[in-house]
Amino acid sequence: MNHFSDWSPANIYFAMGPFARTIVILLLAMLARAAVVALDRYIRFAVARKQTLSFVRLSAAPFREGDLAEAQRIAEGKRKSHVAGIVAAGIRAFTSAPASFSESEKVEAAKRDARQAAALNRAEFNHRLSGLGTIASTAPFVGLLGTVVGIVDSFKATIGSHATGLAAVGAGIAEALVTTALGLIVAIPAVWCFNYFTEVLNAYTVEMNTSTLELVTYLAIHPVRDERRRE
């Protein structure tokens, strides 16, 4: 382990031992992975919100008129919307049910497919979030591992050189603590992002459950005008 006087990141890195360098590379890879996942999920949730608002605005008139065909067409055009996906699945099941089904059976089929669509949406939204949570929870420990090994190496070097006093081990300990600091730098934003996306997912889950209930209630009590059902 080499000591250093220049605290620039490059000098700190090259002054580290092989194990500490490996820890730094691992933490930087975790940071990059967390950033990619956070950006991907942010875009996905933002697109879902945008398309949902557009779907709600465009589908208001068809639902008022009982035009399920038009409502389904609009819903299927908003494939990234969690609400539109549920509505499209429910209407599709309702309108394509066998003629032998009673109205209550058609509504039950719509509820089943809408719930299935909601479950698929939740799984898709949750994709890669578990990895982000793993990074958030393990990064500090990875950094701490580098620190522990670095401190041990620092004391070994001190014993080998027969040096004494804080000055003999101070630079080595400071170097070792860099991995702990880097672990926290990785973990803190990862925790913030994970908690934020979890809250958004919970809010979207409530919206999907509410949309399923509203669709089922609508199909059960409102007259509909669907040309495909008349044919």
Side-chain angles (χ1 to χ4, degrees):
M1 179 180 293
N2 301 319
H3 296 328
F4 52 87
S5 57
D6 185 352
W7 289 83
S8 68
N11 283 344
I12 292 174
Y13 175 78
F14 288 112
M16 291 179 173
F19 186 83
R21 291 184 187 181
T22 301
I23 292 296
V24 169
I25 293 173
L26 177 59
L27 287 171
L28 291 177
M30 294 170 70
L31 178 62
R33 174 67 176 177
V36 169
V37 172
L39 180 61
D40 174 76
R41 293 298 85 188
Y42 177 81
I43 294 174
R44 179 65 184 90
F45 283 123
V47 170
R49 170 59 59 198
K50 181 179 179 180
Q51 290 199 4
T52 295
L53 294 175
S54 177
F55 166 72
V56 171
R57 177 176 54 83
L58 294 174
S59 63
F63 275 119
R64 281 197 305 268
E65 298 168 1
D67 189 352
L68 291 186
E70 179 61 14
Q72 182 179 351
R73 186 192 66 79
I74 295 172
E76 291 178 346
K78 307 293 182 182
R79 296 185 180 276
K80 295 295 185 179
S81 167
H82 50 294
V83 172
I86 290 172
V87 172
I91 294 177
R92 189 182 306 112
F94 184 81
T95 57
S96 63
S100 59
F101 275 26
S102 65
E103 288 299 311
S104 61
E105 288 175 328
K106 293 176 182 177
V107 171
E108 189 61 30
K111 180 193 294 187
R112 181 184 62 250
D113 281 26
R115 286 179 173 176
Q116 183 179 13
L120 292 175
N121 281 334
R122 281 193 296 271
E124 198 277 331
F125 281 135
N126 198 49
H127 178 58
R128 305 172 81 180
L129 285 186
S130 59
L132 184 62
T134 299
I135 291 173
S137 61
T138 59
F141 297 104
V142 174
L144 183 60
L145 174 62
T147 295
V148 171
V149 174
I151 290 175
V152 171
D153 287 345
S154 178
F155 279 109
K156 285 182 179 180
T158 301
I159 294 172
S161 63
H162 303 288
T164 58
L166 182 61
V169 297
I173 292 176
E175 175 186 327
L177 290 174
V178 169
T179 57
T180 294
L182 183 57
L184 293 175
I185 290 173
V186 174
I188 291 173
V191 169
W192 288 344
C193 291
F194 178 77
N195 289 340
Y196 169 75
F197 291 129
T198 299
E199 289 299 318
V200 175
L201 178 57
N202 290 338
Y204 281 15
T205 298
V206 172
E207 291 178 0
M208 288 187 288
N209 292 338
T210 302
S211 298
T212 299
L213 179 60
E214 290 178 347
L215 176 64
V216 170
T217 302
Y218 176 89
L219 295 175
I221 66 177
H222 285 75
V224 298
R225 177 171 61 84
D226 187 1
E227 299 300 328
R228 287 172 298 179
R229 297 182 64 203
R230 295 179 179 180
E231 294 176 356

